[in-house]
Amino acid sequence: MANDRTERNYRIRVARAVAAIVADPMANSRLDDLARLANFSPFHFHRVYAGVVGETVAATVRRVRLALATRLLTSSNESITQVALAVGYDSPQAFARAFHEFTGQSPRAFRQQMTQTFIAAEMTPLLPGDASLPAVTIVERPARQLRALRHVGSFATIPHTHRQLRLRAGPRTISEKWGASFGNPEHAGRFRYYAAIASPEPWPEDADIETLEIPGGRYVVHRLVGPYTRINAAAQAIYTRWMPGSGYEPDDRPTLEHYLDTSSRGTAPAALRTDLFIPIRSASPP
């Protein structure tokens, strides 16, 4: 029990450092400053941080800055060179290499694809058999139970939460890897995201691990093949392109992401497979 309290204490303190990086991705995040924020010795902080987060401070900074780059490429008219400079790269070539490693696409291809997705999402009216509609199936799923760790912080650090959940699982078999979203991500105060897993083995008590009871019901399912950074755009296309003419409307259950590649190590971002489950019900009469 004492070890559990110590580990939780470490996580809380390191989380302050992660939050500082996310709050200002372009700040000069010196190890000494982050160590002081987390109340650790600067001589050993880099080891503590890597042990808790699963990657170095530099890797976290790079990941958060590249997540910022995806937003700039999607929502601004800045050139790729301008975006590269804005997120701390001295040349568009170095930025392109890092961005491709992060998303599986070049900055130009990512911007073009996101632009096409948003244009498609805004097109009206919907036409029967429209080839631009996302490919979906409708399924009925039974209720199920998942072990979950609530994510705190930016979407860019969701991988940290999944990594922490895997560490809690220890040697236990992980049969499925999920994400569960409650509420609207546009309203941070009313939005919750959980990293979740299914395991056939018993789970020990852990103050941070919650049991998620996922209710059964009807879902529209879309299989996304590509980097996780495209999940939100895929969901938006379903809500705005498919949903209005489908005879269905969103239901008040969590949106689920089933990550079919239980471990993404060694898998190129462009090859990652995710089944996106959006809960639906028959549309109410006008």
Side-chain angles (χ1 to χ4, degrees):
M1 187 64 70
N3 286 341
D4 289 344
R5 285 197 298 269
T6 300
E7 183 182 351
R8 180 175 174 78
N9 176 271
Y10 271 41
R11 292 197 304 270
I12 291 171
R13 290 157 64 185
V14 169
R16 294 202 294 264
V18 175
I21 295 170
V22 171
D24 190 357
M26 300 314 301
N28 181 17
S29 299
R30 299 191 312 122
L31 277 176
D32 286 4
D33 296 334
L34 295 174
R36 189 177 305 108
L37 186 63
N39 198 24
F40 281 109
S41 162
F43 298 104
H44 305 291
F45 177 66
H46 65 289
R47 293 188 180 90
V48 172
Y49 185 95
V52 171
V53 177
E55 64 183 8
T56 65
V57 170
T60 300
V61 171
R62 182 166 57 251
R63 184 196 300 276
V64 173
R65 288 180 178 181
L66 288 169
L68 172 60
T70 65
R71 295 197 296 274
L72 293 176
L73 288 169
T74 302
S75 61
S76 78
N77 293 321
E78 294 183 355
S79 69
I80 291 172
T81 298
Q82 288 172 320
V83 172
L85 295 172
V87 297
Y89 287 85
D90 293 332
S91 71
Q93 293 79 12
F95 170 62
R97 287 193 296 271
F99 191 88
H100 189 279
E101 184 179 345
F102 181 62
T103 67
Q105 295 177 291
S106 70
R108 189 176 305 280
F110 179 87
R111 169 173 271 173
Q112 289 173 344
Q113 186 168 48
M114 292 298 98
T115 299
Q116 290 166 0
T117 297
F118 293 137
I119 288 174
E122 293 170 356
M123 287 174 59
T124 56
L126 295 176
L127 301 175
D130 189 344
S132 69
L133 290 172
V136 300
T137 56
I138 296 174
V139 302
E140 292 279 349
R141 289 187 59 84
R144 68 170 313 163
Q145 191 178 85
L146 298 171
R147 305 294 184 180
L149 181 61
R150 184 172 178 176
H151 173 69
V152 178
S154 162
F155 287 166
T157 59
I158 282 177
H160 302 322
T161 304
H162 280 282
R163 192 176 297 114
Q164 287 300 314
L165 183 59
R166 289 197 299 273
L167 290 174
R168 303 289 200 293
R172 292 169 189 81
T173 301
I174 297 176
S175 55
E176 294 177 341
K177 178 182 171 184
W178 292 82
S181 299
F182 295 76
N184 186 342
E186 298 295 326
H187 303 285
R190 291 179 287 172
F191 178 74
R192 291 174 292 145
Y193 175 89
Y194 290 86
I197 59 175
S199 175
E201 300 180 40
W203 198 272
E205 288 188 14
D206 186 315
D208 289 335
I209 302 300
E210 300 182 37
T211 299
L212 283 188
E213 302 286 352
I214 306 296
R218 185 172 295 174
Y219 291 84
V220 56
V221 187
H222 170 68
R223 176 162 295 182
L224 172 68
V225 179
Y228 298 142
T229 49
R230 287 167 47 192
I231 288 175
N232 285 342
Q236 181 70 6
I238 292 171
Y239 280 115
T240 58
R241 288 288 293 149
W242 179 84
M243 194 81 69
S246 68
Y248 295 100
E249 64 186 23
D251 195 19
D252 297 329
R253 287 173 280 134
T255 297
L256 304 174
E257 298 163 11
H258 185 194
Y259 308 107
L260 299 176
D261 303 287
T262 305
S263 174
S264 57
R265 287 188 177 181
T267 304
L272 291 170
R273 299 166 302 147
T274 307
D275 279 348
L276 180 61
F277 289 80
I278 295 178
I280 55 174
R281 63 192 178 201
S282 296
S284 302

